[in-house]
Amino acid sequence: MERSWIGSRRGHEVIQRRTFLALLGDERAGTRILLQEPDPDAEELAELTALTDGPIGPVGAEDPFSSTDLGHLGMRNWQMPIMLRRPGPVFAPAMEVTRAQRTQELQAASRS
């Protein structure tokens, strides 16, 4: 995965499990966790929890499934768009695409 390669090239420890990928960075980069499956088992959740105990720098966890309760870590869930795709040509859009030219247009697109 690209993120793990980038993290290791920067000297960060990379931990990859079935349900998550974690990068343990420095004070500036912090700890980043990406859930890759919606169903971590008890052991994986315990390991994920341990990674947030006393890290250097900020901690961020992305759960694109919104299925893992991280409230015990003081984290809250909110949905953010996420897209993963391999590099390569893209297909023509299946719908009309209009480029936002002004701030108001971008705000309107964000609300829809």
Side-chain angles (χ1 to χ4, degrees):
M1 173 173 246
E2 293 81 15
R3 286 184 182 207
S4 63
W5 183 82
I6 291 169
S8 62
R9 295 288 297 160
R10 292 181 177 167
H12 302 165
E13 183 180 353
V14 178
I15 299 172
Q16 189 158 10
R17 301 292 183 258
R18 177 186 68 85
T19 59
F20 71 88
L21 174 69
L23 299 176
L24 309 180
D26 55 20
E27 187 174 302
R28 181 172 171 259
T31 297
R32 307 269 181 186
I33 300 167
L34 173 63
L35 285 142
Q36 297 181 302
E37 296 290 335
D39 60 342
D41 62 27
E43 186 176 311
E44 291 165 324
L45 189 55
E47 183 177 11
L48 190 150
T49 299
L51 294 174
T52 66
D53 187 27
I56 299 173
V59 176
E62 296 178 40
D63 177 8
F65 311 100
S66 296
S67 63
T68 305
D69 181 11
L70 300 176
H72 66 287
L73 301 175
M75 296 183 176
R76 63 185 174 91
N77 284 342
W78 72 91
Q79 293 217 275
M80 296 176 60
I82 183 168
M83 182 182 85
L84 299 174
R85 76 168 188 84
R86 299 278 180 229
V90 297
F91 297 106
M95 62 175 70
E96 182 182 350
V97 176
T98 304
R99 184 180 300 262
Q101 300 289 331
R102 296 185 300 253
T103 302
Q104 298 88 343
E105 294 169 335
L106 182 58
Q107 289 169 344
S110 295
R111 286 190 299 270
S112 56

